[in-house]
Amino acid sequence: MSGVQHVHVGNDEDGMRLDRWFRHHFPQVTQGYLQKLLRTGQVRVDGARAKAADRLSEGQEIRVPPVPSADERRARPKPGLSAADRDFLESITLYEDDDLLILNKPSGIAVQGGTKTTRHIDGLLAGLGEDADTRPRLVHRLDRDTSGVLVVAKKRQAAAKMGRMFQTRSVRKIYWAVVRGLPRPSQGKVDAALIKAATPEGDRVRAARPGEHEEAQKAVTHFSVVDHAAQKFSWMSLKPVTGRQHQLRAHMAILGHPIVGDDKYRDDRELPDAIENRLHLHARRIAFPHPATGKTVDVTAPLPEHMTRTFAVLGFQVNRVTGDGGED
């Protein structure tokens, strides 16, 4: 084990998430162990307690408690990828260049590992590099049951720049969802700060109550009804301004129109047999300036199979969409 270290954030790490910084410098430290170190205050940024999702700034000092040594890290076998896993990643790749990899994440696969989660996108990406310096890096996240565009940086500098873009809201994101009922008005904005709330079924978020706004996170979503079916179901285009955990799911529930198949946020009513009881939320499109060239990267992900079937049942036609639907 090494002793306590005080490490300064480099220029090319400005804007990087703290947990991502740890994975680069101390890849032997698991996400779960890092969370424990953060909860107990052993990891500090400029002397203050920190969270895994905090964004770092150049020059900040990070206190690193004793962790397994570099020799122990080098002794670990390189992960590698099986042929089946490599084929899987290739099959979901929407865009790739020297700096970026953009995937169409399937519904049902986690982006990162956790309790009882051994197969996840981040773990597969680890097998694409020789070590922590060469492996691709996540720059944002999607819920396990949300499908669609997921951006991965192939270089540290690209990851840092993409992190700043997401932090400064320079990334345009459009999600498609099928929700219960027909929202009125058909276009609008949900501006409802969210606060985490532990439940017996796991973590949730909810609208902040009076007196809670100091600890709540600001969350804003623009919404538009693209089409509807007999006022029972609506196809929504959702544009998050912020990127909070479960933001779109919670905001639609707050609006009174939960996303179909979202058992975490009040969609517990029976569905027609032809509609599968799975989350109907899809990260449809993403657009941003390329971190190396500045040219616009604009990528659209096809719908997952269960949403394609639902669209067919409800008579929603993807090729008729313009403007808010993200197909312009």
Side-chain angles (χ1 to χ4, degrees), residues 25-200:
H25 289 277
F26 305 97
Q28 70 275 31
V29 177
T30 65
Q31 185 76 9
Y33 186 51
L34 174 60
Q35 291 288 1
K36 180 180 179 181
L37 295 176
L38 290 166
R39 283 196 305 271
T40 55
Q42 296 182 67
V43 172
R44 292 182 177 255
V45 178
D46 284 346
R49 285 177 175 265
K51 297 179 181 178
D54 287 351
R55 298 283 180 179
L56 301 173
S57 298
E58 180 185 357
Q60 285 185 311
E61 182 183 84
I62 301 177
R63 179 193 186 276
V64 181
V67 294
S69 69
D71 287 339
E72 291 171 335
R73 180 187 72 188
R74 284 191 290 268
R76 298 172 64 211
K78 296 175 182 177
L81 268 188
S82 68
D85 285 341
R86 193 172 294 277
D87 288 345
F88 169 71
L89 284 178
E90 289 179 359
S91 74
I92 64 172
T93 296
L94 298 170
Y95 172 93
E96 184 174 9
D97 62 25
D98 290 342
D99 299 280
L100 300 172
L101 178 67
I102 302 182
L103 307 175
N104 183 14
K105 187 192 84 68
S107 171
I109 184 169
V111 171
Q112 284 188 298
T115 305
K116 299 181 181 179
T117 302
T118 56
R119 179 177 168 81
H120 47 86
I121 297 295
D122 197 40
L124 296 175
L125 295 175
L128 293 179
E130 289 295 316
D131 52 34
D133 287 324
T134 59
R135 61 154 294 173
R137 298 165 176 82
L138 297 168
V139 296
H140 68 126
R141 286 153 181 72
L142 297 174
D143 293 343
R144 176 194 294 269
D145 294 323
T146 301
S147 58
V149 285
L150 181 70
V151 181
V152 175
K154 296 168 73 174
K155 299 177 181 177
R156 285 181 59 197
Q157 189 170 22
K161 288 184 177 180
M162 289 301 306
R164 287 193 290 271
M165 284 187 216
F166 277 95
Q167 186 180 23
T168 58
R169 304 170 189 172
S170 303
V171 179
R172 181 191 181 197
K173 296 173 285 185
I174 297 177
Y175 288 71
W176 282 1
V178 180
V179 305
R180 296 277 191 169
L182 176 59
R184 293 295 189 191
S186 60
Q187 293 186 357
K189 178 175 76 171
V190 182
D191 187 347
L194 300 173
I195 192 165
K196 290 187 178 181
T199 72

Side-chain angles (χ1 to χ4, degrees), residues 266-302:
R266 299 195 347 230
D267 187 44
D268 52 5
R269 287 172 285 176
E270 192 171 331
L271 286 166
D273 291 340
I275 297 179
E276 194 171 348
N277 187 23
R278 296 177 64 184
L279 184 67
H280 282 59
L281 178 61
H282 178 66
R284 173 65 173 177
R285 181 178 176 184
I286 199 164
F288 54 87
H290 192 283
T293 67
K295 294 181 179 179
T296 299
V297 177
D298 192 336
V299 176
T300 297

Side-chain angles (χ1 to χ4, degrees), residues 169 187-195 206-209 213 216-223 238-244 247-248 250-256:
R169 304 170 189 172
Q187 293 186 357
K189 178 175 76 171
V190 182
D191 187 347
L194 300 173
I195 192 165
R206 58 170 173 78
R209 297 165 184 155
H213 283 78
Q217 292 184 311
K218 181 177 177 61
V220 179
T221 301
H222 294 278
F223 68 87
L238 307 175
K239 297 178 180 179
V241 177
T242 50
R244 310 305 182 195
Q247 175 177 320
L248 300 180
H251 275 177
M252 288 300 97
I254 290 168
L255 201 63

Side-chain angles (χ1 to χ4, degrees), residues 200-215:
E201 293 79 30
D203 289 341
R204 304 284 190 276
V205 295
R206 58 170 173 78
R209 297 165 184 155
E212 293 182 331
H213 283 78
E214 284 192 6
E215 55 185 305

